[in-house]
Amino acid sequence: MKFFKYFLFLLFFSLIYINCKSLTYDSKIKADKEEPVVIANDSLAYEIIIIDPGFTNFLNATAQPEGFYSQKYLESRNRAWVLTWNERARNPLQFNPTIYENIIDYQPTIDYGYEVNYKLFNYFLFAQKKYKMSLGGGFRTNRIN
């Protein structure tokens, strides 16, 4: 009878351990498989693909909803932040090249539309928060949105 109690006790905790381990493994898989955010304007043949983990969640849970900012406001913020971003991307010895991997070709004379400006703006907010940096333009480093 004592053997049976120990066997049940061991079986019970083994099952709990296996279940907890599988839950942890599943959540890691889901986190790794986050879909990239595509910013595109088909009429301009323009596309940005953001594969930074956590951005999709930031866009859905933290960012202000579309329509909160005017397109003119988003464009002015993006112009300032793109200049800073590109300057840092061109100086990999001074700034972290794993953060500033690519130069962003954002032309102030082109109307990219609201969606492109909205997602680019929110990516800059996300990156500033995630990497604890400031791209300038009059915003606080710890600004959420």
Side-chain angles (χ1 to χ4, degrees), residues 120-136:
L120 183 61
F121 171 82
N122 279 296
Y123 178 71
F124 284 136
L125 289 177
F126 168 77
Q128 289 180 85
K129 182 178 179 184
K130 180 178 180 179
Y131 300 115
K132 296 176 179 44
M133 65 173 170
S134 175
L135 294 172

Side-chain angles (χ1 to χ4, degrees), residues 67-80:
F68 184 83
Y69 302 106
S70 70
Q71 183 171 334
K72 188 173 183 174
Y73 175 80
L74 296 173
E75 289 171 345
S76 67
R77 292 291 95 214
N78 287 341
R79 277 193 296 271

Side-chain angles (χ1 to χ4, degrees), residues 99-137:
I99 296 174
Y100 306 99
E101 291 182 15
N102 299 309
I103 291 174
I104 300 170
D105 184 20
Y106 185 88
Q107 304 295 322
T109 57
I110 297 175
D111 180 10
Y112 294 103
Y114 188 86
E115 184 180 7
V116 169
N117 280 290
Y118 172 78
K119 288 182 179 175
L120 183 61
F121 171 82
N122 279 296
Y123 178 71
F124 284 136
L125 289 177
F126 168 77
Q128 289 180 85
K129 182 178 179 184
K130 180 178 180 179
Y131 300 115
K132 296 176 179 44
M133 65 173 170
S134 175
L135 294 172

Side-chain angles (χ1 to χ4, degrees), residues 32-92:
D32 291 343
K33 291 191 176 197
E34 180 177 317
E35 292 294 319
V37 174
V38 177
I39 304 171
N41 185 326
D42 294 335
S43 64
L44 296 173
Y46 188 86
E47 182 176 76
I48 299 173
I49 299 173
I50 299 174
I51 55 173
D52 204 335
F55 179 60
T56 302
N57 186 46
F58 176 86
L59 200 57
N60 294 330
T62 306
Q64 295 291 351
E66 285 191 42
F68 184 83
Y69 302 106
S70 70
Q71 183 171 334
K72 188 173 183 174
Y73 175 80
L74 296 173
E75 289 171 345
S76 67
R77 292 291 95 214
N78 287 341
R79 277 193 296 271
W81 287 340
V82 163
L83 287 173
T84 304
W85 184 276
N86 289 344
E87 180 182 318
R88 292 177 182 183
R90 288 183 183 105
N91 294 302

Side-chain angles (χ1 to χ4, degrees), residues 22-34:
S22 67
L23 289 174
T24 305
Y25 179 72
D26 289 344
S27 63
K28 285 180 183 176
I29 290 173
K30 288 177 185 174
D32 291 343
K33 291 191 176 197
E34 180 177 317

